[in-house]
Amino acid sequence: MSRPYNFSAGPAMLPEAVLEQAKAEMLDWHGSGMSVMEMSHRGKEYISIAEQAEADLRELLAIPANYKVLFLQGGASSQFAMVPMNLLRGKTRADYLNTGQWSKKAISEAKKYCQVNVVASSESANFSTVPARDTWKCDPEAAYLHYTPNETIGGVELHTIPDVSVPLAADFSSTLLSRPLDVSKFGVIYAGAQKNIGPAGLTIVIIREDLMGQTVAGTPTMLDYATMAKESSMYNTPPTYAWYIAGLVFQWLKAQGGLKAMGERNKAKADLLYKAIDESGFYKNPVDPAYRSWMNVPFILPDEALDKPFLAEAKAAGLLTLAGHRSVGGMRASIYNAVPLEGVKALVDFMADFQKRRG
């Protein structure tokens, strides 16, 4: 591989083959005489791009016919408001599981629209685990339950889908398309694109049809899922280039063998990195092993004074963006779909060498 390995949590590394294809098509997409960035979103050329992207995403995730797929703007953070606006459907209460910083942000936003019941929280454990399911205190009057399957900052992941009697709403920003997923278990799935899907600026929403069309009073037209579904995500000008790149990523995923193959690769990458951390006696991962993320692997060195040298030497070795989130410090390796096993091996080798020299 000619490029460095980028372990950024997002915007994240994209497949080199996708970047090369985008480069080749930059000035003239398929003989149209236009760059995708120059096309009308209502022209036949762009409509074909959009329709193919949705078809490929539906195939990858085996999305049932009674779910709409939306390609929106505003990032996953806009969904913190859109979920209660659209899913309360006349109710005034909603359940939320608190497992990290992104859960907290979703809870804070939802409180503007409804009474939030936090069914359980791992904040007292510094978000290093997920509360056991039998400790959750769900509200029988809740309109839905929201959770964050993978907390990008803390590296905590819930590996099973909660079994609840209300619609599930989930922020899959950092795990969507990293492995197979049973979409039928959810009311709404949303994800910012800049992890496993494409560039920043695009947000994917997958929503069950019967949950649309009953927004809270005063919901802006742009924030109504039903409006966007009716207009095929083109009520206004969508993020056309990000949508196009996402479509190329979907095609790349299919060529890699689909989500089953990607899941096997991602687990292998995570297992390799956690094994290196656990057996080092030098690096430490703060997360309960039962809830370790496949996508975001935080680790700390025995002395903070080593952080800057580690990052500088890693960068010189072609291993980029390994600093942990500013709120927690330490290191974090985000090993999304586009990071190959060779990249994780290179990181593990560097970590061993750094320990030998500095430990």
Side-chain angles (χ1 to χ4, degrees), residues 182-256:
D182 186 350
V183 172
S184 71
K185 300 286 189 183
F186 297 86
V188 61
I189 289 168
Y190 64 90
Q194 65 272 18
K195 319 284 188 180
N196 283 308
I197 300 171
L202 174 69
T203 306
I204 303 290
V205 173
I206 304 168
I207 181 167
R208 210 172 69 207
E209 289 180 343
D210 64 293
L211 298 177
M212 298 188 299
Q214 302 176 62
T215 55
V216 301
T219 296
T221 302
M222 283 285 294
L223 303 186
D224 185 340
Y225 290 141
T227 296
M228 288 303 181
K230 181 181 178 182
E231 299 296 332
S232 301
S233 304
M234 294 188 185
Y235 176 80
N236 70 327
T237 306
T240 55
Y241 198 74
W243 191 339
Y244 154 73
I245 295 292
L248 298 186
V249 171
F250 302 156
Q251 292 170 17
W252 177 81
L253 285 168
K254 290 171 63 177
Q256 303 307 302

Side-chain angles (χ1 to χ4, degrees), residues 46-62:
Y46 190 78
I47 292 296
S48 71
I49 291 171
E51 289 180 345
Q52 186 63 56
E54 179 176 341
D56 288 338
L57 180 60
R58 284 186 173 276
E59 179 182 343
L60 283 165
L61 283 167

Side-chain angles (χ1 to χ4, degrees), residues 300-323:
I300 55 176
L301 281 65
D303 185 346
E304 287 186 13
L306 293 173
D307 288 0
K308 287 186 177 180
F310 182 94
L311 291 169
E313 293 179 26
K315 183 177 181 180
L319 307 170
L320 308 181
T321 331
L322 284 163

Side-chain angles (χ1 to χ4, degrees), residues 311-335:
L311 291 169
E313 293 179 26
K315 183 177 181 180
L319 307 170
L320 308 181
T321 331
L322 284 163
H325 190 272
R326 62 186 181 278
S327 66
V328 295
M331 305 297 152
R332 175 178 52 174
S334 294
I335 48 177

Side-chain angles (χ1 to χ4, degrees), residues 96-100 118-125 127 129-131 135-136:
Y96 278 72
L97 177 65
N98 184 18
T99 54
V118 177
V119 299
S121 174
S122 58
E123 188 162 11
S124 62
F127 294 127
T129 188
V130 175
T135 68
W136 297 11

Side-chain angles (χ1 to χ4, degrees), residues 9-70:
M13 188 174 184
L14 286 165
E16 189 167 358
V18 167
L19 296 176
E20 289 289 353
Q21 184 173 348
K23 176 184 176 182
E25 296 175 348
M26 176 61 74
L27 296 181
D28 183 359
W29 183 83
H30 295 201
S32 67
M34 296 178 285
S35 168
V36 173
M37 285 186 283
E38 300 171 312
M39 291 178 178
S40 165
H41 60 293
R42 303 195 188 282
K44 64 178 182 179
E45 294 89 355
Y46 190 78
I47 292 296
S48 71
I49 291 171
E51 289 180 345
Q52 186 63 56
E54 179 176 341
D56 288 338
L57 180 60
R58 284 186 173 276
E59 179 182 343
L60 283 165
L61 283 167
I63 298 173
N66 64 324
Y67 283 74
K68 293 293 187 182
V69 177
L70 309 178

